[in-house]
């Protein structure tokens, strides 16, 4: 099947038509892999078995194509791993083909981390590896490999994957401001922040999520310590009533009054951290915006 489905015309998309916005497309059954566990949730077990067989036999990642390291990790590697765990109990005769694909893909993605700082390149050629060891990467990109690489390590027994993801995250955390805040974009060569704005929205959102979930999944207490400091810094400097705003990492002062719907994730992080009252306040404030506009505006 095609990588993506157009919601209105219901035809598939295989060709990159939008430049860098299509850096996730690779003609490797993207959406099928991404939605594998949904077939299990909806009890479409025959369809799930068919999908697993197709992926194991037909999908290859040895492609001379530059892709988004972050997107391929969270959508394809994550889909392969969850699919493997379901297939191991649901598909008779399953011999671990999805995990084999996941190890192959994880190895290809790991080459993005071969930089002076250990930070990943935001783009990687799945066949050739890095084609240029320079550029910028966001905190969300650099800090959101813990779960997929960690589960891959646990299932494969190769803990180099988790170590790679962990080192990348800690490398930029060590450069946080005295307020405990991090900027949004990093230079992969120097590790320095290219901007001085802290946000819970685009460019940083999943970093905080992966910190806490990484601790929960792997009992990594250093990640918990990092999370507590980061969470406290945001609550002190960026939270006003039910919203979290963008602030200067050195001054702790609000940079603008813009809000991104991606910041909605903060409420779920508050719940995981035990701040249910704060999470309810956040949800109610975002619901107020939804009620006023009929949707969440970008």
């Amino acid at each position: 099947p095609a990588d993506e489905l157009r919601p209105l015309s219901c035809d598939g998309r295989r060709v990159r038509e939008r430049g860098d916005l299509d850096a996730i497309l690779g003609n490797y059954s993207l959406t099928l892999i991404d939605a594998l566990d949904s077939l299990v949730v909806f009890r479409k077990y025959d369809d799930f078995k068919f999908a697993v067989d197709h992926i194991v036999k037909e999908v290859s990642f040895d492609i001379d194509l530059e892709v988004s390291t972050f997107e391929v990790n969270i959508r394809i590697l994550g889909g392969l791993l969850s699919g493997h765990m379901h297939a191991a109990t649901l598909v008779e005769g399953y011999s671990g083909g999805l995990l084999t694909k996941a190890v192959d893909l994880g190895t290809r993605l790991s080459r993005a981390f071969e930089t002076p700082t250990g930070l990943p390149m935001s783009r990687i050629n799945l066949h050739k590896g890095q084609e240029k060891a320079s550029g910028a990467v966001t905190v969300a990109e650099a800090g959101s490999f813990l779960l997929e690489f960690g589960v891959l390590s646990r299932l494969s027994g190769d803990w180099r994957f988790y170590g790679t993801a962990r080192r990348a995250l800690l490398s930029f955390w060590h450069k946080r401001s005295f307020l405990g805040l991090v900027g949004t974009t990093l230079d992969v060569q120097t590790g320095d922040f290219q901007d001085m704005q802290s946000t819970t929205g685009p460019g940083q959102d999943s970093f905080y999520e992966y910190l806490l979930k990484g601790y929960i999944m792997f009992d990594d207490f250093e990640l918990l310590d990092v999370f507590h400091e980061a969470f406290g810094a945001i609550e002190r400097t960026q939270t006003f009533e039910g919203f979290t705003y963008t602030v200067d990492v050195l001054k702790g002062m609000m940079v603008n009054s813009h809000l991104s719907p991606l910041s909605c994730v903060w409420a779920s992080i508050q719940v995981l951290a035990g701040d249910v009252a704060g999470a309810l306040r956040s949800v109610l404030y975002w619901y107020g915006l939804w009620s006023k506009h009929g949707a969440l505006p970008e």
Side-chain angles (χ1 to χ4, degrees):
D3 281 336
E4 290 185 351
L5 181 70
R6 301 179 199 267
L8 298 181
S9 60
C10 291
D11 62 328
R13 277 205 331 124
R14 292 182 175 86
V15 179
R16 295 186 173 188
E17 305 163 334
R18 303 176 300 168
D20 197 53
L21 290 174
D22 282 338
I24 182 62
L25 300 186
N27 198 23
Y28 33 39
S29 301
L30 163 65
T31 297
L32 182 65
I33 297 174
D34 197 8
L36 266 180
D37 53 357
S38 296
L39 294 173
V40 176
V41 170
F42 296 124
R43 301 183 180 181
K44 300 289 187 179
Y45 301 125
D46 290 339
D47 292 335
F48 176 72
K49 181 181 182 304
F50 179 84
V52 169
D53 289 342
H54 166 78
I55 294 165
V56 170
K57 295 176 182 176
E58 304 296 337
V59 172
S60 172
F61 300 110
D62 188 16
I63 309 169
D64 186 4
L65 184 70
E66 190 175 77
V67 298
S68 166
T69 315
F70 169 77
E71 292 289 347
V72 168
N73 174 62
I74 64 172
R75 297 181 64 183
I76 302 182
L77 183 57
L80 290 170
L81 292 169
S82 62
H84 164 73
M85 289 186 282
H86 285 303
T89 58
L90 294 175
V91 178
E92 185 177 354
Y94 173 71
S95 58
L98 294 180
L99 180 58
T100 301
K101 296 285 184 185
V103 171
D104 173 63
L105 180 58
T107 301
R108 296 176 188 278
L109 293 178
S110 293
R111 292 181 292 184
F113 292 81
E114 295 171 357
T115 62
T117 57
L119 293 169
M121 298 290 297
S122 65
R123 300 290 184 267
I124 189 73
N125 186 296
L126 290 175
H127 177 71
K128 299 176 181 177
Q130 290 186 27
E131 295 189 287
K132 56 180 185 299
S134 62
V137 65
T138 68
V139 162
E141 289 175 303
S144 300
F145 284 82
L146 280 172
L147 300 184
E148 291 81 7
F149 273 36
V151 171
L152 182 59
S153 287
R154 178 170 287 174
L155 293 174
S156 68
D158 186 347
W159 286 94
R160 288 177 297 179
F161 294 110
Y162 184 66
T164 294
R166 194 176 185 275
R167 281 192 299 274
L169 184 150
L170 293 177
S171 72
F172 68 76
W173 174 247
H174 291 322
K175 294 199 173 188
R176 64 193 181 279
S177 74
F178 71 97
L179 294 175
L181 302 173
V182 295
T184 301
T185 308
L186 297 146
D187 186 313
V188 298
Q189 288 291 314
T190 65
D192 294 333
F193 289 109
Q194 293 187 334
D195 70 85
M196 303 303 287
Q197 296 184 4
S198 175
T199 176
T200 58
Q204 292 193 29
D205 48 357
S206 54
F207 159 59
Y208 303 104
E209 173 193 0
Y210 272 54
L211 272 177
L212 186 52
K213 290 180 178 178
Y215 157 70
I216 293 171
M217 185 167 288
F218 306 110
D219 291 327
D220 190 329
F221 283 90
E222 185 174 5
L223 295 183
L224 181 62
D225 291 340
V226 173
F227 172 78
H228 280 315
E229 183 175 347
F231 183 83
I234 288 175
E235 289 291 304
R236 287 191 303 272
T237 62
Q238 295 179 227
T239 301
F240 179 72
E241 298 181 336
F243 293 127
T244 54
Y245 293 93
T246 300
V247 303
D248 184 283
V249 300
L250 298 177
K251 301 175 183 177
M253 297 179 63
M254 189 166 70
V255 175
N256 58 59
S257 58
H258 298 164
L259 293 169
S260 165
L262 294 183
S263 294
C264 292
V265 73
W266 193 248
S268 66
I269 295 172
Q270 288 173 304
V271 170
L272 283 178
D275 184 12
V276 178
L280 178 60
R281 183 169 58 249
S282 297
V283 168
L284 291 175
Y285 268 73
W286 281 104
Y287 178 70
L289 274 185
W290 184 287
S291 298
K292 179 175 181 178
H293 298 285
L296 292 181
E298 284 290 342

